Amino acid sequence: MTEKTQQTPASNPELPTQYAPAEVEGKLYERWVERGYFTADAKSDKPPYTIVIPPPNVTGALHLGHAFQVTLMDALTRRKRMQGFETLWLPGMDHAGIATQNKVEQQLAEEGKSRQDLGREAFTERVWQWKDEYGGRILGQLKRLGAGLDWSRERFTMDEGLSRAVQTIFKKLYDDELIYRAERIINWCPRCLTAISDIEVDYQDDDGELVSLKYGEGDETVVVATTRVETMLGDTAVAVHPDDERYAHLVGKRIKLPLTDRTIPVVADTHVDPEFGTGAVKVTPAHDPNDFAIGRRHDLEFMTIMDERGVITVHGPFQGLDRFEARSAIVAAMREQGRVVAEKRPYVHSVGHCSRCKTTVEPRLSLQWWVKVETLAKAAGDAVRDGRVALHPKDMEKRYFDWVDNLNDWCISRQLWWGHRIPVWYGPNGEMVCVGPDDEAPTGEGWVQDEDVLDTWFSSGLWPFSTLGWPEETPDLEKFYSTDVLVTGHDIIFFWVVRMMMFGLYAMDGEVPFKTVALTGLVRDEFGKKMSKSNPNAVDPIDWMDAYGSDAVRFTLATGANPGADVPIGEDWVKASRNFANKIWNATRFALMNGATVEGELPPVEQLSATDRWILSRLNKTVAEVDAFYDDFQFAKLSDTLYHFAWDEVFDWYVELSKTTFFAGGEGAKVSGRVLGEVLDVMLRVLHPVVPFVTETLWTTLTGKETLVTADWPKDSGFRDDAAEQEIALVQQVVTEVRRFRSDQGLQPGQKVPAELVLTGTALAPHEAAIRQVLRLQPASDGFHATASLPVAGATVALDLSGTIDVEAERKRLTKDLGAAEKEKAQAGAKLSNEAFLGKAPDNVVDKIRGRLAKAEADIERITNQLANLPQG
């Protein structure tokens, strides 16, 4: 093949000159779904592999956090499918009670209406209409990302089957006395007008005020400090420690509560810390969880002083004020009476906010439904402790145990209309009946159903088995439960993971809901800052997919996925991943145009060149490494391994070193063409789970087969050739050193330079043509004058740089490098001659310094020779 032909190869009719993701991805995904590649068969004899997607909210849109976790789940399931498993990756959505109800209430407000104007039944119908029209946008976006989900099994937490599961487990828990109704302190959102659980409260440091107030008169006074002055209207005691002698004379007495006509007792309780503040605390049992416990221990009165919107309902002067307005008014009134002892403002303290609307949460005494978690939580802890469920990374276990071992009973009732309504009916004479899905609800005058709905996390806690048909004994449940891996963020261990563990073990007779929990971090911007819609750093992944392709977004996310760690991502990194996809495309296109094939068996080893044996050895090692990383959920490492194998070893080294063979034609070109075809076949297979679109297009063109989705996952054949790897390492050493030298001289990569190669007696001799091709070295001709000689890897490369090299600049550069090498030699030598250092330093440190000394000595010899070979003048 002529040099001109090498530079401008004929176009390939099957692959365009450039990869255009927008023209490929949508059509490919439709074909995958239409042909049923993602549809699992419960009757299959293949071993099952199951993942359920963390159900996104029906109100949601795809963000980078979703894209990140979906990419990892898709990679896992695509690989398992290729390995011969009957793979089920089950999709669905959560009804998102509060968030969805808020959306529809906002719509109604724009129409000048409220949900009360419609009534419960009509409002619920309106929410269903909203869901059908606007909900589920995220599922279409998951398709855009390439998620290989089994859409034939799509579920929704409010669909008929899952609603049946919710009612079934509620009834079972109720009958087992694990669900009860009680008046307790709960977290109340005055904006959403509902109870919320502990894990739905976001705590942040707010600027508040700490006010010290004097209660009582004369000798019977105490000073208490509070950040919530307005709650003093509901105080029913002051508490001190039993051993605090300062207040011993007051215990058992009643003192005047300022601004009211009430007196309250002074009680002794060990909960009080005598060393904190004045050692006396105000007790508001209906508005503080700790005070609630004190109130129960001492049989105190429970006074509710606010309504559901945080408006004061007692004591004339303050009645009707918002809680924060009342705070200021009460401080002013107490100041007038000389009862404000001290004020600290601003006082930074942790304040709970509703995770959905950000309103300050109000502790509130309320009659609610609860799950008794003691036995359920113990089972969830034991499943991890005894190894039935593995948390990955393992260091997440401490966080898990800290939570599950100290879990409080779970408030599951919500004062909403959208959700699973609590299946309990109340009779006219105080009767209470829990109704299962096959039971008849009580009828007759005076019977009413509980108004509340269940916490969204109650139904999503059933997700691993309710989606498979439970409580019915379905083929899906038998085949695919328990699931294999749960991929989710470490931030919802408490929200979701623990709930699923408790319910799965309880409902499925001790069988765990998943065998492994692979916990991820959060996606952050390139500077490590949290992405937020309110910040300019928020990114819509669809925009990046439009610009660079879905594969580029997926590869970028996978490359940052270290177990449990947060993932920084920036647009430049997505561009780099786009370049990687283009590199795969262009290099594969070149290979196809130059004889790469998968036809026939691989030639026997004796027919392979050292370069061929090297790449096949590296190929098998890469497959083994990638498999090990997958099994350890090391997505970043496997992506990095694939990147460097494909770009560096296959395209930058094997293809370049093989060009002379391809261009020469003949039997050698056929052998290398078959080897290159094999390498591309395997490489595209192992890349496919992470970058499915570009690999599918290239692989089907290379092999002529229907799809890569269901192709066999490659196995490590065990072929290794350390000798060939060492031989090619020498070639790489020569090429790298000469390239560095050329670059230092300012030579362009394609600029040809006359050179003599002295390779006799080395393993490099068979590679002279390849070395010359890669380095653009012309044969030495008449008039050749070596102006530089580079001894490397036992060989010598002499170059004639007449007219191309600045000799004086090169001499200065080499002299500087020589000085640095001599300094390194002196420092390393000094340490190795220091007996005190050698006696204390670990062996690995000493070995490292010996290595530095050896390298410095080699550098000195190399640089000295280079200086000696520079032209004089």
Side-chain angles (χ1 to χ4, degrees), residues 295-313:
R296 293 186 69 171
R297 285 195 292 271
H298 297 275
D299 197 24
L300 299 177
E301 183 182 359
F302 287 70
M303 286 188 61
T304 298
I305 63 164
M306 298 180 206
D307 67 11
E308 68 276 7
R309 297 183 184 275
V311 174
I312 301 298
T313 58

Side-chain angles (χ1 to χ4, degrees), residues 122-135:
F123 176 79
T124 303
E125 180 59 33
R126 179 72 177 257
V127 180
W128 277 107
Q129 291 172 6
W130 182 93
K131 183 258 182 188
D132 292 339
E133 187 173 355
Y134 300 105

